[in-house]
Amino acid sequence: MNISDIILIVVIAVIVAAAIFAIIRRKKSGKDCCGNCTQCNHDCDRRL
């Protein structure tokens, strides 16, 4: 493994961590939408 491999692994790890953080943050704030409003427990403006 050379330095470019290590940099690539670090960049991929940062992207994955940021995606997981964004998913968790959206879920906590109630902005996520599963698309199935009849089975959803959240009260939101999209509810049909």
Side-chain angles (χ1 to χ4, degrees), residues 9-30:
I9 291 170
V10 169
V11 167
I12 291 172
V14 167
I15 291 170
V16 169
I20 290 171
F21 177 75
I23 290 170
I24 291 171
R25 195 169 126 205
R26 284 179 58 98
K27 190 160 187 72
K28 283 184 179 179
S29 69

